[in-house]
Amino acid sequence: MENCIFCKIVAGEIPAAKVYEDGEMIIFKDIEPIAQIHLLAVPKEHFKLLSEMDAPRTALVGCMLAKIAAFAPKLGLDGGYRLVINQGEDAGQTVPHLHIHILGGQKLGWA
Ligand code: AMP
Ligand code: ZN
């Protein structure tokens, strides 16, 4: 999608600190981390909201969760991690391309 910053990262048009990539998703470092480890898991296909998930997208997001779990130890997240998906304005979603925040590397507060 034009003018989507995450589509541009997927296309390699703007740089990102990638830590994982396969045919369906990439994981890269958040540019403004709010935890010791703050990564973003992003599907290569553009869609904004969980409410846009049809059956293939549901499977895609399920695979993303499984891959995050599988790679967590290699990402330095042995001690645990938190996954966050901001949806829409009230949640403060700023990038309109579905993404999963992966937070860890420290004891996380709840707020
Ligand atoms: P959200 O508020 O859930 O939409 O989160 C968007 C996240 O994307 C924020 O945590 C931003 O810091 C992050 N972000 C925005 N632009 C970039 C970028 N070019 N590279 C890495 N992370 C980014
Ligand atoms: Zn996009």
Side-chain angles (χ1 to χ4, degrees), residues 67-82:
K67 287 173 192 167
I68 290 167
F71 285 103
K74 290 187 186 121
L75 299 172
L77 296 163
D78 318 61
Y81 52 90
R82 179 173 296 152

Side-chain angles (χ1 to χ4, degrees), residues 1 7 18 20-21 26-27 31 37 40-42 47 49 55 58-59 62-63 65 74 99 102 109:
M1 189 193 187
C7 280
K18 286 182 201 171
Y20 176 80
E21 179 168 14
I26 58 173
I27 302 177
I31 207 167
I37 298 174
L40 298 172
V42 175
F47 62 103
L49 298 169
T58 301
C63 283
L65 293 174
K74 290 187 186 121
H99 50 282
I102 306 169

Side-chain angles (χ1 to χ4, degrees), residues 45-95:
E45 183 195 359
H46 179 95
F47 62 103
K48 178 181 178 185
L49 298 169
L50 291 169
S51 57
E52 295 170 39
M53 291 199 312
D54 51 16
R57 285 169 173 162
T58 301
L60 167 65
V61 174
C63 283
M64 289 177 67
L65 293 174
K67 287 173 192 167
I68 290 167
F71 285 103
K74 290 187 186 121
L75 299 172
L77 296 163
D78 318 61
Y81 52 90
R82 179 173 296 152
L83 305 181
V84 175
I85 303 177
N86 290 323
Q87 290 288 277
E89 198 182 333
D90 281 0
Q93 183 176 6
T94 57
V95 178

